[in-house]
Amino acid sequence: MKRIKIKDILSSDKSQYEACVKGWVRTFRNNQFIALNDGSTIHNLQAVVDFENTSEEILKRITTGACVSVTGTIITSLGKGQKYELKASALEILGDSDPEKYPLQPKKHSLEFLREIAHLRFRTSTFSAVFRVRNVLSHAVHKFFQEKGFAWIHTPIITASDAEGAGQMFRVTTLDLKNPPKTESGEIDFSQDFFGKSTNLTVSGQLEGELAAMALSEIYTFGPTFRAENSNTTRHLAEFWMIEPEMAFYDLNDNMDLAQELLQYVIKEALAHCADDLQFLNERLLEEEKQKPQNERSEMNLVDKLKFCVENDFQRVTYTEAIDILRESNHNKKKKFSYLIDKWGADLQSEHERYLVEKHFKKPVILIDYPKEIKAFYMRQNEDGKTVRAMDVLFPGIGEIIGGSQREERYDKLLQRMQEMHIPHEEMYWYLDTRRFGACPHAGFGLGFERLVLFVTGMTNIRDIIAFARTPKNCEF
Ligand code: ATP
Ligand code: MN
């Protein structure tokens, strides 16, 4: 008999039919009731075993974690909390799971413990919910851009360029580390390396994305990026996925409109397609927040917070306005920030971003027109000579979720900025060429996919929304 997914059984309005269900045992009670989960939904299906006609040997092997195939009749359940159950007529053990050794007991485990057994944590309700939401969000990203006619560009993973400034990249090499070839001056001779030059893993696909936008008009990337930054925070990974749209003929306002539309669209998709999972994660979060003092708890529950973001425009504020707000804030005056804001030009830390979003505006914020000193060389310079057309989208609980800008399309201005910032402009002739041949105003941004998943799932550590986190001193599985 063909296998039916639990999700399809629970969402149908049929009963009294034969079905075969395969999945993993969550619990087995009274030698009779299996809570079976196959990952198609957060909900388990109860399979009722005819224990009088099942051998003792088989009953003993129905343990938490075991994989079973159950055939029988789907009937309306008399039990609480479930519409249907499976009255088993045949049961086969597909894979045993020794209950003495299986690390996942049918009880609540801490997220820290589950991180150590990340190869098994998919089997918990929390993680299966997280990965279903992650999947829906990633599909929604593609849906959004494809509906708008953006072309998905696959930018290289291995690159010889450094869009962000050196020091944070992972080197890619096939040189013998024990005995690397040296140049006459004693430096490592990368001309003998695989690519004939020094290469790294990409930190961003933006620069290549811009090249494509200068022909296809509207493109996006969605791929892995790598940063060797030693930031051990709950929001940074060494390997993460980024979505980077680049659009010809867009100015900063168009860019902000697109960023808001994208975020609202994908959150809406998650609300529409992951209702059960989000409800579960909502309750998980409420439970978790009970441990916290009242003043640290969220003002809104997860689902309300998501709806709020979908229904309200993001607040658009200039960096200069934000600095004034922060400087005048009680938080600053009472020295509650770790980094006090004393003057214009200061880089904003996550604590400041979150203050603006969570305490001051109480909604997502888009900060624009940052000082050029704290932003990248490719951002379009404003007339004031001090600021650039940058935008950061800041989200509650997260801080920066998107960083973007209108790009500098004027050749002379771009070259001058590259020189000032010691960007090797000869090597980047290909980037400058787009400004020499048929340049146009254009803009784009980078959305950190994991930060989005973090926000939508209400999880609090970025290590818990990617299957296998890569962070400093940690590359398991
Ligand atoms: P932050 O200041 O938070 O480190 P950033 O300014 O370095 O971010 P960008 O270089 O603008 O970030 O990258 C674009 C987006 O990629 C960010 O808005 C964020 O969502 C995401 N991002 C950046 N670094 C990381 C990281 N190490 N892990 C996960 N996501 C990241
Ligand atoms: Mn960073």
Side-chain angles (χ1 to χ4, degrees):
M1 195 185 296
K2 204 162 165 261
R3 165 187 170 234
I4 307 183
K5 290 191 193 189
I6 292 174
K7 182 182 183 184
D8 296 333
I9 292 172
L10 297 181
S11 61
S12 110
D13 47 17
K14 276 198 315 188
S15 68
Q16 297 297 338
Y17 60 97
E18 291 294 296
C20 168
V21 178
K22 299 182 185 183
W24 292 268
V25 175
R26 284 287 172 84
T27 56
F28 185 43
R29 287 190 294 122
N30 294 353
N31 246 358
Q32 204 176 359
F33 303 109
I34 307 176
L36 196 61
N37 191 284
D38 68 0
S40 60
T41 156
I42 189 87
H43 301 295
N44 301 327
L45 180 71
Q46 172 158 290
V48 186
V49 180
D50 178 5
F51 68 100
E52 280 166 348
N53 294 307
T54 307
S55 76
E56 191 61 29
E57 189 251 338
I58 292 284
L59 288 174
K60 263 201 250 151
R61 292 168 63 198
I62 306 175
T63 56
T64 297
C67 189
V68 297
S69 168
V70 189
T71 308
T73 316
I74 298 292
I75 57 170
T76 308
S77 177
L78 298 174
K80 265 207 320 232
Q82 64 217 1
K83 206 157 88 175
Y84 303 120
E85 62 186 31
L86 176 61
K87 191 163 169 289
S89 55
L91 184 143
E92 187 191 344
I93 308 278
L94 299 177
D96 286 288
S97 171
D98 182 345
E100 301 291 311
K101 300 201 176 118
Y102 186 54
L104 285 172
Q105 298 301 313
K107 63 159 196 180
K108 206 169 154 40
H109 292 291
S110 74
L111 294 173
E112 289 77 13
F113 170 72
L114 293 172
R115 241 170 258 154
E116 317 239 299
I117 51 161
H119 58 304
L120 295 172
R121 67 179 180 173
F122 292 108
R123 298 190 190 189
T124 63
S125 298
T126 298
F127 285 92
S128 61
V130 163
F131 288 105
R132 279 187 298 270
V133 173
R134 185 177 167 116
N135 168 59
V136 165
L137 285 170
S138 93
H139 183 60
V141 166
H142 284 299
K143 233 164 102 180
F144 174 81
F145 286 117
Q146 294 298 327
E147 280 168 10
K148 282 189 164 297
F150 282 54
W152 180 19
I153 298 291
H154 305 91
T155 49
I157 306 285
I158 299 175
T159 145
S161 88
D162 174 357
E164 303 264 313
Q168 310 189 348
M169 305 186 89
F170 289 101
R171 185 181 294 288
V172 175
T173 180
T174 55
L175 290 179
D176 178 5
L177 289 184
K178 284 202 206 89
N179 185 23
K182 298 275 174 68
T183 60
E184 274 173 18
S185 57
E187 265 136 36
I188 293 179
D189 183 6
F190 286 106
S191 70
Q192 294 188 47
D193 203 348
F194 187 90
F195 295 105
K197 53 163 85 170
S198 142
T199 49
N200 303 292
L201 293 179
T202 184
V203 293
S204 156
Q206 177 201 320
L207 302 188
E208 291 92 347
E210 279 187 54
L211 312 181
M214 289 302 107
L216 300 168
S217 297
E218 290 162 320
I219 67 94
Y220 69 106
T221 72
F222 189 170
T225 46
F226 308 86
R227 295 190 185 180
E229 52 194 3
N230 208 346
S231 18
N232 238 318
T233 75
T234 53
R235 296 165 300 102
H236 289 89
L237 291 166
E239 174 180 299
F240 64 100
W241 289 69
M242 190 143 60
I243 297 137
E244 295 181 278
E246 281 296 327
M247 299 76 62
F249 320 119
Y250 276 48
D251 65 13
L252 192 67
N253 283 317
D254 303 323
N255 207 22
M256 286 192 276
D257 291 345
L258 186 77
Q260 180 180 321
E261 200 186 333
L262 167 65
L263 287 167
Q264 292 182 331
Y265 179 96
V266 299
I267 295 169
K268 230 186 273 174
E269 286 282 301
L271 284 166
H273 299 290
C274 306
D276 291 352
D277 287 325
L278 290 177
Q279 201 48 49
F280 174 85
L281 291 166
N282 193 25
E283 276 150 32
R284 195 203 72 84
L285 189 62
L286 288 175
E287 201 54 43
E288 191 184 273
E289 293 216 321
K290 277 189 196 154
Q291 324 289 328
K292 291 190 187 168
Q294 191 76 41
N295 64 338
E296 284 174 31
R297 295 184 201 166
S298 320
E299 285 171 26
M300 269 184 236
N301 75 34
L302 177 63
V303 173
D304 289 342
K305 187 181 74 175
L306 297 180
K307 288 187 180 149
F308 181 85
C309 283
V310 167
E311 285 157 12
N312 290 280
D313 281 335
F314 303 173
Q315 184 79 38
R316 301 179 183 191
V317 193
T318 66
Y319 167 90
T320 304
E321 287 162 345
I323 284 290
D324 288 342
I325 292 167
L326 289 168
R327 198 162 32 192
E328 294 308 314
S329 68
N330 276 332
H331 241 67
N332 205 48
K333 288 180 179 156
K334 291 189 182 149
K335 301 196 171 15
K336 280 200 204 155
F337 288 130
S338 312
Y339 294 88
L340 294 181
I341 296 287
D342 55 355
K343 59 175 189 296
W344 193 93
D347 202 354
L348 299 184
Q349 306 295 324
S350 162
E351 56 177 343
H352 308 124
E353 298 173 344
R354 292 185 57 178
Y355 178 86
L356 291 168
V357 173
E358 292 159 31
K359 298 275 185 307
H360 189 84
F361 290 108
K362 297 188 189 290
K363 50 155 69 173
V365 170
I366 311 184
L367 277 190
I368 61 165
D369 292 340
Y370 281 75
K372 65 179 181 195
E373 279 73 25
I374 58 173
K375 287 290 179 188
F377 71 90
Y378 47 72
M379 299 192 177
R380 195 175 199 280
Q381 296 164 52
N382 281 319
E383 299 311 313
D384 63 10
K386 291 189 333 198
T387 60
V388 288
R389 301 245 81 190
M391 64 169 213
D392 278 6
V393 180
L394 313 178
F395 258 38
I398 305 284
E400 178 186 333
I401 193 166
I402 281 181
S405 69
Q406 185 172 334
R407 314 306 188 191
E408 182 58 84
E409 83 283 13
R410 297 162 297 184
Y411 179 85
D412 294 340
K413 297 250 181 206
L414 180 61
L415 183 62
Q416 187 199 343
R417 197 72 194 124
M418 287 172 91
Q419 284 165 338
E420 281 167 12
M421 294 178 76
H422 308 292
I423 308 287
H425 57 88
E426 285 96 354
E427 279 167 41
M428 288 183 60
Y429 70 92
W430 48 272
Y431 186 68
L432 282 161
D433 265 3
T434 53
R435 277 63 173 177
R436 293 175 62 215
F437 308 115
C440 71
H442 65 289
F445 59 82
L447 164 62
F449 185 56
E450 281 74 19
R451 300 231 178 132
L452 171 67
V453 181
L454 206 49
F455 178 73
V456 175
T457 58
M459 299 295 283
T460 42
N461 193 316
I462 201 162
R463 291 162 183 78
D464 296 332
I465 46 86
I466 188 161
F468 302 107
R470 272 75 181 97
T471 51
K473 299 279 178 288
N474 174 49
C475 193
E476 292 302 311
F477 312 105

